[in-house]
Amino acid sequence: MCNAVSIAFAVPVAVFEVSRVSGFVEVRYATGDETYLTFSGETENPAAGEVIFADAEGRAQGRGWTNRQSGLSAVRFDF
């Protein structure tokens, strides 16, 4: 649904599984110390100055105006 909204309005939309987010999410520039979990399970550190969606523990939940969703907080459906 969020991808459809993004396409329809040409605006990036971030969706996070809130149970996997610590405290809050803020859009800011990375310091380079944040962690980011890829969908393949690897941990990366966003480059200083990259736009990220960071939570209270310094984890990047989204990168590049949400075009890279974290594997940690991605919404998944268990069928």
Side-chain angles (χ1 to χ4, degrees), residues 41-67:
E42 297 174 21
T43 300
E44 299 176 351
N45 297 95
E50 180 180 345
V51 175
I52 62 169
F53 288 65
D55 71 8
E57 290 185 19
R59 297 180 298 195
Q61 302 293 351
R63 296 172 68 179
W65 295 112
T66 72
N67 71 340

mmCIF file of all heavy atoms in Angstrom, residues 41-67:
data_model
loop_
_atom_site.group_PDB
_atom_site.id
_atom_site.type_symbol
_atom_site.label_atom_id
_atom_site.label_comp_id
_atom_site.label_asym_id
_atom_site.label_seq_id
_atom_site.Cartn_x
_atom_site.Cartn_y
_atom_site.Cartn_z
ATOM 1 N N GLY A 41 21.101 -9.258 6.028
ATOM 2 C CA GLY A 41 21.602 -9.491 7.374
ATOM 3 C C GLY A 41 22.946 -8.852 7.679
ATOM 4 O O GLY A 41 23.478 -9.019 8.771
ATOM 5 N N GLU A 42 23.516 -8.129 6.722
ATOM 6 C CA GLU A 42 24.794 -7.454 6.959
ATOM 7 C C GLU A 42 24.548 -6.118 7.658
ATOM 8 O O GLU A 42 23.528 -5.479 7.468
ATOM 9 C CB GLU A 42 25.509 -7.202 5.630
ATOM 10 C CG GLU A 42 25.870 -8.473 4.896
ATOM 11 C CD GLU A 42 26.438 -8.186 3.513
ATOM 12 O OE1 GLU A 42 26.909 -7.059 3.269
ATOM 13 O OE2 GLU A 42 26.393 -9.101 2.688
ATOM 14 N N THR A 43 25.504 -5.697 8.469
ATOM 15 C CA THR A 43 25.423 -4.406 9.139
ATOM 16 C C THR A 43 26.331 -3.418 8.422
ATOM 17 O O THR A 43 27.490 -3.728 8.150
ATOM 18 C CB THR A 43 25.842 -4.525 10.618
ATOM 19 O OG1 THR A 43 24.963 -5.455 11.274
ATOM 20 C CG2 THR A 43 25.758 -3.184 11.320
ATOM 21 N N GLU A 44 25.775 -2.256 8.114
ATOM 22 C CA GLU A 44 26.526 -1.182 7.464
ATOM 23 C C GLU A 44 26.474 0.059 8.336
ATOM 24 O O GLU A 44 25.651 0.162 9.249
ATOM 25 C CB GLU A 44 25.911 -0.843 6.097
ATOM 26 C CG GLU A 44 25.887 -1.963 5.101
ATOM 27 C CD GLU A 44 25.184 -1.587 3.814
ATOM 28 O OE1 GLU A 44 24.549 -0.510 3.731
ATOM 29 O OE2 GLU A 44 25.253 -2.386 2.870
ATOM 30 N N ASN A 45 27.360 1.001 8.046
ATOM 31 C CA ASN A 45 27.335 2.318 8.673
ATOM 32 C C ASN A 45 27.117 3.342 7.571
ATOM 33 O O ASN A 45 27.965 3.480 6.686
ATOM 34 C CB ASN A 45 28.641 2.614 9.402
ATOM 35 C CG ASN A 45 28.886 1.650 10.527
ATOM 36 O OD1 ASN A 45 29.569 0.648 10.367
ATOM 37 N ND2 ASN A 45 28.296 1.933 11.672
ATOM 38 N N PRO A 46 25.975 4.054 7.603
ATOM 39 C CA PRO A 46 25.758 5.085 6.600
ATOM 40 C C PRO A 46 26.877 6.126 6.656
ATOM 41 O O PRO A 46 27.402 6.434 7.731
ATOM 42 C CB PRO A 46 24.428 5.710 7.008
ATOM 43 C CG PRO A 46 23.739 4.646 7.815
ATOM 44 C CD PRO A 46 24.848 3.933 8.518
ATOM 45 N N ALA A 47 27.229 6.663 5.509
ATOM 46 C CA ALA A 47 28.280 7.681 5.440
ATOM 47 C C ALA A 47 27.808 8.968 6.116
ATOM 48 O O ALA A 47 26.623 9.314 6.070
ATOM 49 C CB ALA A 47 28.638 7.960 3.992
ATOM 50 N N ALA A 48 28.721 9.662 6.749
ATOM 51 C CA ALA A 48 28.404 10.951 7.361
ATOM 52 C C ALA A 48 27.794 11.864 6.302
ATOM 53 O O ALA A 48 28.280 11.942 5.173
ATOM 54 C CB ALA A 48 29.656 11.580 7.952
ATOM 55 N N GLY A 49 26.692 12.497 6.654
ATOM 56 C CA GLY A 49 26.020 13.412 5.745
ATOM 57 C C GLY A 49 24.889 12.789 4.946
ATOM 58 O O GLY A 49 24.105 13.505 4.328
ATOM 59 N N GLU A 50 24.780 11.450 4.957
ATOM 60 C CA GLU A 50 23.682 10.791 4.243
ATOM 61 C C GLU A 50 22.375 11.026 5.000
ATOM 62 O O GLU A 50 22.346 11.004 6.228
ATOM 63 C CB GLU A 50 23.973 9.292 4.150
ATOM 64 C CG GLU A 50 22.910 8.505 3.442
ATOM 65 C CD GLU A 50 23.230 7.022 3.355
ATOM 66 O OE1 GLU A 50 24.392 6.609 3.589
ATOM 67 O OE2 GLU A 50 22.292 6.258 3.059
ATOM 68 N N VAL A 51 21.288 11.236 4.290
ATOM 69 C CA VAL A 51 19.986 11.406 4.932
ATOM 70 C C VAL A 51 19.501 10.042 5.413
ATOM 71 O O VAL A 51 19.460 9.082 4.644
ATOM 72 C CB VAL A 51 18.956 12.015 3.959
ATOM 73 C CG1 VAL A 51 17.575 12.066 4.598
ATOM 74 C CG2 VAL A 51 19.390 13.412 3.545
ATOM 75 N N ILE A 52 19.151 9.978 6.703
ATOM 76 C CA ILE A 52 18.672 8.724 7.289
ATOM 77 C C ILE A 52 17.446 8.978 8.159
ATOM 78 O O ILE A 52 17.165 10.112 8.539
ATOM 79 C CB ILE A 52 19.755 8.027 8.149
ATOM 80 C CG1 ILE A 52 20.161 8.920 9.336
ATOM 81 C CG2 ILE A 52 20.955 7.628 7.317
ATOM 82 C CD1 ILE A 52 21.012 8.203 10.375
ATOM 83 N N PHE A 53 16.749 7.897 8.461
ATOM 84 C CA PHE A 53 15.683 7.892 9.450
ATOM 85 C C PHE A 53 16.268 7.129 10.631
ATOM 86 O O PHE A 53 16.443 5.910 10.564
ATOM 87 C CB PHE A 53 14.456 7.153 8.914
ATOM 88 C CG PHE A 53 13.702 7.905 7.855
ATOM 89 C CD1 PHE A 53 14.277 8.190 6.633
ATOM 90 C CD2 PHE A 53 12.409 8.326 8.088
ATOM 91 C CE1 PHE A 53 13.584 8.866 5.649
ATOM 92 C CE2 PHE A 53 11.694 9.006 7.105
ATOM 93 C CZ PHE A 53 12.287 9.278 5.888
ATOM 94 N N ALA A 54 16.600 7.819 11.706
ATOM 95 C CA ALA A 54 17.296 7.205 12.838
ATOM 96 C C ALA A 54 16.377 7.089 14.042
ATOM 97 O O ALA A 54 15.543 7.958 14.283
ATOM 98 C CB ALA A 54 18.514 8.045 13.217
ATOM 99 N N ASP A 55 16.563 6.000 14.809
ATOM 100 C CA ASP A 55 15.790 5.857 16.038
ATOM 101 C C ASP A 55 16.639 6.282 17.231
ATOM 102 O O ASP A 55 17.783 6.740 17.078
ATOM 103 C CB ASP A 55 15.222 4.440 16.180
ATOM 104 C CG ASP A 55 16.245 3.354 16.492
ATOM 105 O OD1 ASP A 55 17.425 3.656 16.771
ATOM 106 O OD2 ASP A 55 15.852 2.171 16.465
ATOM 107 N N ALA A 56 16.084 6.147 18.437
ATOM 108 C CA ALA A 56 16.746 6.624 19.657
ATOM 109 C C ALA A 56 18.045 5.891 19.959
ATOM 110 O O ALA A 56 18.891 6.408 20.692
ATOM 111 C CB ALA A 56 15.787 6.505 20.842
ATOM 112 N N GLU A 57 18.243 4.682 19.408
ATOM 113 C CA GLU A 57 19.468 3.926 19.644
ATOM 114 C C GLU A 57 20.514 4.147 18.553
ATOM 115 O O GLU A 57 21.535 3.454 18.529
ATOM 116 C CB GLU A 57 19.145 2.434 19.772
ATOM 117 C CG GLU A 57 18.389 2.107 21.041
ATOM 118 C CD GLU A 57 18.175 0.616 21.218
ATOM 119 O OE1 GLU A 57 18.890 -0.190 20.591
ATOM 120 O OE2 GLU A 57 17.281 0.260 21.995
ATOM 121 N N GLY A 58 20.250 5.077 17.648
ATOM 122 C CA GLY A 58 21.213 5.363 16.592
ATOM 123 C C GLY A 58 21.205 4.345 15.461
ATOM 124 O O GLY A 58 22.187 4.189 14.753
ATOM 125 N N ARG A 59 20.088 3.647 15.315
ATOM 126 C CA ARG A 59 19.968 2.686 14.217
ATOM 127 C C ARG A 59 19.274 3.369 13.048
ATOM 128 O O ARG A 59 18.229 3.995 13.230
ATOM 129 C CB ARG A 59 19.173 1.464 14.660
ATOM 130 C CG ARG A 59 19.858 0.711 15.785
ATOM 131 C CD ARG A 59 19.093 -0.484 16.217
ATOM 132 N NE ARG A 59 17.776 -0.069 16.729
ATOM 133 C CZ ARG A 59 16.996 -0.864 17.447
ATOM 134 N NH1 ARG A 59 17.365 -2.092 17.715
ATOM 135 N NH2 ARG A 59 15.829 -0.439 17.884
ATOM 136 N N ALA A 60 19.838 3.252 11.875
ATOM 137 C CA ALA A 60 19.227 3.822 10.670
ATOM 138 C C ALA A 60 18.129 2.877 10.215
ATOM 139 O O ALA A 60 18.395 1.754 9.805
ATOM 140 C CB ALA A 60 20.264 4.019 9.582
ATOM 141 N N GLN A 61 16.896 3.316 10.311
ATOM 142 C CA GLN A 61 15.749 2.499 9.920
ATOM 143 C C GLN A 61 15.423 2.667 8.439
ATOM 144 O O GLN A 61 14.739 1.854 7.847
ATOM 145 C CB GLN A 61 14.535 2.840 10.778
ATOM 146 C CG GLN A 61 14.760 2.649 12.254
ATOM 147 C CD GLN A 61 14.947 1.187 12.653
ATOM 148 O OE1 GLN A 61 14.758 0.260 11.878
ATOM 149 N NE2 GLN A 61 15.328 0.978 13.894
ATOM 150 N N GLY A 62 15.892 3.736 7.855
ATOM 151 C CA GLY A 62 15.714 4.007 6.437
ATOM 152 C C GLY A 62 16.830 4.916 5.971
ATOM 153 O O GLY A 62 17.392 5.676 6.760
ATOM 154 N N ARG A 63 17.171 4.811 4.699
ATOM 155 C CA ARG A 63 18.269 5.617 4.150
ATOM 156 C C ARG A 63 17.840 6.247 2.835
ATOM 157 O O ARG A 63 17.005 5.710 2.124
ATOM 158 C CB ARG A 63 19.487 4.740 3.891
ATOM 159 C CG ARG A 63 20.066 4.139 5.150
ATOM 160 C CD ARG A 63 21.133 3.139 4.880
ATOM 161 N NE ARG A 63 22.340 3.744 4.315
ATOM 162 C CZ ARG A 63 23.423 3.062 4.021
ATOM 163 N NH1 ARG A 63 23.472 1.762 4.216
ATOM 164 N NH2 ARG A 63 24.467 3.672 3.514
ATOM 165 N N GLY A 64 18.459 7.380 2.514
ATOM 166 C CA GLY A 64 18.239 8.009 1.214
ATOM 167 C C GLY A 64 16.789 8.351 0.943
ATOM 168 O O GLY A 64 16.259 7.969 -0.084
ATOM 169 N N TRP A 65 16.151 9.052 1.855
ATOM 170 C CA TRP A 65 14.736 9.414 1.701
ATOM 171 C C TRP A 65 13.876 8.175 1.498
ATOM 172 O O TRP A 65 12.985 8.145 0.690
ATOM 173 C CB TRP A 65 14.529 10.439 0.597
ATOM 174 C CG TRP A 65 15.167 11.744 0.927
ATOM 175 C CD1 TRP A 65 16.241 12.297 0.304
ATOM 176 C CD2 TRP A 65 14.808 12.631 1.978
ATOM 177 N NE1 TRP A 65 16.562 13.480 0.907
ATOM 178 C CE2 TRP A 65 15.709 13.717 1.934
ATOM 179 C CE3 TRP A 65 13.821 12.632 2.952
ATOM 180 C CZ2 TRP A 65 15.639 14.783 2.824
ATOM 181 C CZ3 TRP A 65 13.759 13.686 3.838
ATOM 182 C CH2 TRP A 65 14.656 14.741 3.765
ATOM 183 N N THR A 66 14.176 7.125 2.217
ATOM 184 C CA THR A 66 13.436 5.867 2.327
ATOM 185 C C THR A 66 13.592 4.917 1.150
ATOM 186 O O THR A 66 12.889 3.929 1.065
ATOM 187 C CB THR A 66 11.918 6.064 2.580
ATOM 188 O OG1 THR A 66 11.298 6.543 1.398
ATOM 189 C CG2 THR A 66 11.664 6.965 3.742
ATOM 190 N N ASN A 67 14.514 5.168 0.242
ATOM 191 C CA ASN A 67 14.657 4.201 -0.843
ATOM 192 C C ASN A 67 15.412 2.956 -0.390
ATOM 193 O O ASN A 67 15.499 2.000 -1.126
ATOM 194 C CB ASN A 67 15.306 4.815 -2.088
ATOM 195 C CG ASN A 67 16.774 5.110 -1.912
ATOM 196 O OD1 ASN A 67 17.269 5.219 -0.797
ATOM 197 N ND2 ASN A 67 17.490 5.258 -3.005
#
